[in-house]
Amino acid sequence: MVNSVHGHKPRTPAAHRSRRWFMNKALLAGGVSAVAVMGGYTAGQAGAEETSTADATASATPSRPPTGGGRTIAYDDFVGVTTDGTVISDLYAIHRTGVSTTPVVRAGSAFVNSLTDDQKAATLYDIDADQWLDWTNVDSNDRDGLALRDMDEKQYRLAIKLLKAALSARGLENATQIRKLNHFLGEYSGDTSKALNYDAYWFTIMGTPSATDPWGFQFEGHHLVINYFVLGDQVVATPTFRGSEPTKITYDGVDYHLFREETAAGLKLLRSLDAARLATAAPGTEQKTGTNLTVGAHNDNAVLPYKGIRGSELNRKQQKLLLDLVEVHTGTIDEGHSRVWLRDIEKHLDDTYFYWIGESEDDSAFYYRVHSPVVLIEYDAESPLAYHEDDDSSSASPSASATPTASASAGPGGGMGGPNGTPTQQHIHTIIRTPNGNDYGVDLLKLHLATDH
């Protein structure tokens, strides 16, 4: 075992874990990552009972069985996403990238050094802690670590500096906008005191920030979860979950349009396909439901076969568009490491599959997937949970005004979200993973321990 600065492996109390397991089983099975959320605002819509605590627990029934177990697994039981249950070996190696990790190491060290002893006890974990896998994108206050809102001014500044060092300018801007629209949703629903808050995002640190030894951090909150593993000058930034509801709105006089590039890049590739290729990429055998995401939280060992058109079946222009689409998602981390990541993905471009569900108009709600031995990306326009543009009975804060961009009217599910609701581009979820065992940098850590220890 690789120990943290405290020399022990913190474990979440059993009662705490049982609450999270119940929530995750009910809400996240089968990729339904936010059918009914904690905090009360959607729990009422979904017919959930509110408890006497600050959070409400909803009982939701997914439309399909869980793809990867639907609950937290232990770090030691992690396998990773595979196509058939068998991990492809020798995909990852410890090597020099030539891209410095000094800025993120220094930022991580400065943040850790700013913490009090009590904060360290709550925030610091061993490098192989179960905490890596114990994340969720739903709006819950039931999280480990230290929240931005509970930091003093210096700690807050250092925490944001750590994010800035790890992410690209575009990635940091996107993360900031997700947090702002999360706060908007709190104002819209009438409660920013819990998880629907700009600063309701938690940091945990795994290992000790180091230029040579493995370490990493997790930044976790509603619609934004970043897992960031560092070993020498290598980085693994998966799983990373990004989403928003709404995605296009004017708030406090600022116009927001989140996931515009992800939407446009998917459409551009799809529209480049001729009829034969289109029939393979978008066969129409699956229906676009209120949620089609398959490898969300707690689906770390999902078995997901390839679907769609293979990269080797695309012409050069279309392969370039496929790589451009990948870069939109991978380009959220530090620019140098993003380039390294993209080069590794490009090596497997012939074995990269592109799959589509739904229509293809500019404002259509659709799902797409990019899947290869070394990358898995999902984009999903989902049904609304809390924000309804045609709901005159719900008013946002005086500073917020909605700009209608897509219909959020109720479908078969009554507009309550989940698989039976009517999807819209006003609620988008995305996730990126590293299949075959290297999410959370697990494969690199195994190699490190085998060769250096």
Side-chain angles (χ1 to χ4, degrees):
M1 180 186 299
V2 180
N3 292 325
S4 69
V5 293
H6 288 311
H8 68 288
K9 190 172 186 176
R11 298 290 184 183
T12 307
H16 181 110
R17 279 201 181 276
S18 66
R19 290 199 305 273
R20 291 196 72 159
W21 183 89
F22 177 84
M23 177 188 74
N24 292 324
K25 183 175 185 294
L27 305 183
L28 302 172
V32 182
S33 50
V35 172
V37 293
M38 313 300 282
Y41 82 97
T42 303
Q45 293 183 17
E49 278 185 27
E50 292 200 14
T51 68
S52 59
T53 64
D55 291 339
T57 300
S59 177
T61 303
S63 63
R64 59 189 173 210
T67 308
R71 62 185 178 88
T72 306
I73 59 174
Y75 188 95
D76 292 342
D77 295 327
F78 173 83
V79 174
V81 178
T82 62
T83 59
D84 60 3
T86 302
V87 173
I88 301 173
S89 60
D90 300 325
L91 287 172
Y92 311 107
I94 296 175
H95 62 91
R96 298 283 300 176
T97 67
V99 180
S100 175
T101 53
T102 298
V104 74
V105 172
R106 287 177 176 172
S109 296
F111 173 67
V112 169
N113 291 337
S114 74
L115 303 179
T116 67
D117 288 343
D118 286 344
Q119 289 171 333
K120 286 179 179 178
T123 305
L124 305 186
Y125 286 77
D126 286 320
I127 187 61
D128 57 351
D130 295 347
Q131 176 63 31
W132 278 118
L133 287 76
D134 193 19
W135 62 268
T136 174
N137 58 281
V138 302
D139 55 314
S140 168
N141 278 325
D142 188 15
R143 302 181 192 272
D144 299 315
L146 181 62
L148 288 172
R149 65 186 175 196
D150 296 326
M151 298 178 188
D152 62 31
E153 184 177 349
K154 178 182 177 181
Q155 292 168 339
Y156 190 100
R157 176 173 50 81
L158 292 173
I160 298 303
K161 189 173 182 179
L162 174 55
L163 282 181
K164 187 175 181 179
L167 304 179
S168 65
R170 174 158 59 89
L172 183 63
E173 180 184 24
N174 176 259
T176 302
Q177 290 179 343
I178 289 171
R179 292 167 53 208
K180 286 184 176 179
L181 292 195
N182 185 52
H183 196 92
F184 160 78
L185 202 58
E187 291 188 358
Y188 181 83
S189 61
D191 186 1
T192 61
S193 66
K194 294 188 282 292
L196 300 180
N197 181 288
Y198 180 65
D199 288 330
Y201 292 85
W202 282 254
F203 264 105
T204 49
I205 305 290
M206 272 59 83
T208 302
S210 167
T212 56
D213 294 330
W215 71 283
F217 71 85
Q218 185 178 84
F219 185 67
E220 180 191 11
H222 184 221
H223 277 151
L224 180 62
V225 182
I226 300 169
N227 290 287
Y228 201 91
F229 172 88
V230 182
L231 176 60
D233 66 0
Q234 288 180 267
V235 163
V236 178
T238 63
T240 288
F241 183 103
R242 294 173 182 263
S244 186
E245 181 190 13
T247 61
K248 187 175 182 181
I249 198 168
T250 300
Y251 175 44
D252 277 345
V254 178
D255 293 329
Y256 294 91
H257 191 174
L258 277 68
F259 304 107
R260 176 169 50 188
E261 291 182 348
E262 291 84 349
T263 301
L267 286 168
K268 189 172 183 179
L269 174 55
L270 187 79
R271 291 170 179 173
S272 75
L273 305 179
D274 56 34
R277 290 184 174 103
L278 185 62
T280 304
T285 54
E286 288 188 74
Q287 180 184 358
K288 182 69 192 84
T289 66
T291 175
N292 294 89
L293 200 78
T294 60
V295 293
H298 304 268
N299 282 279
D300 292 292
N301 287 351
V303 175
L304 187 66
Y306 292 131
K307 287 186 178 181
I309 190 165
R310 191 175 176 177
S312 59
E313 300 175 49
L314 303 176
N315 62 36
R316 255 183 213 183
K317 178 182 177 182
Q318 291 162 344
Q319 287 183 339
K320 175 63 165 56
L321 291 175
L322 175 57
L323 205 58
D324 289 345
L325 174 57
V326 171
E327 194 279 331
V328 170
H329 293 269
T330 60
T332 55
I333 67 168
D334 166 74
E335 287 86 349
H337 291 103
S338 174
R339 288 192 295 270
V340 171
W341 194 4
L342 196 63
R343 285 199 300 268
D344 290 342
I345 293 169
E346 189 174 9
K347 294 174 184 176
H348 299 269
L349 195 61
D350 282 350
D351 297 320
T352 301
Y353 289 76
F354 176 63
Y355 180 59
W356 188 279
I357 301 174
E359 301 299 325
S360 58
E361 300 300 322
D362 287 350
D363 61 352
S364 295
F366 51 78
Y367 164 95
Y368 67 71
R369 180 161 78 227
V370 177
H371 191 183
S372 87
V374 296
V375 72
L376 174 54
I377 298 167
E378 288 189 292
Y379 164 107
D380 192 28
E382 305 204 340
S383 56
L385 289 170
Y387 178 72
H388 299 271
E389 294 166 324
D390 58 352
D391 185 0
D392 294 332
S393 64
S394 297
S395 59
S397 68
S399 62
S401 61
T403 303
T405 58
S407 172
S409 58
M416 296 190 305
N420 295 322
T422 301
T424 165
Q425 283 189 22
Q426 283 287 40
H427 189 189
I428 290 174
H429 285 183
T430 70
I431 190 166
I432 184 166
R433 284 185 175 271
T434 306
N436 292 295
N438 208 29
D439 272 340
Y440 314 103
V442 172
D443 197 71
L444 288 187
L445 179 61
K446 288 179 179 178
L447 290 171
H448 171 75
L449 294 175
T451 57
D452 292 357
H453 291 73

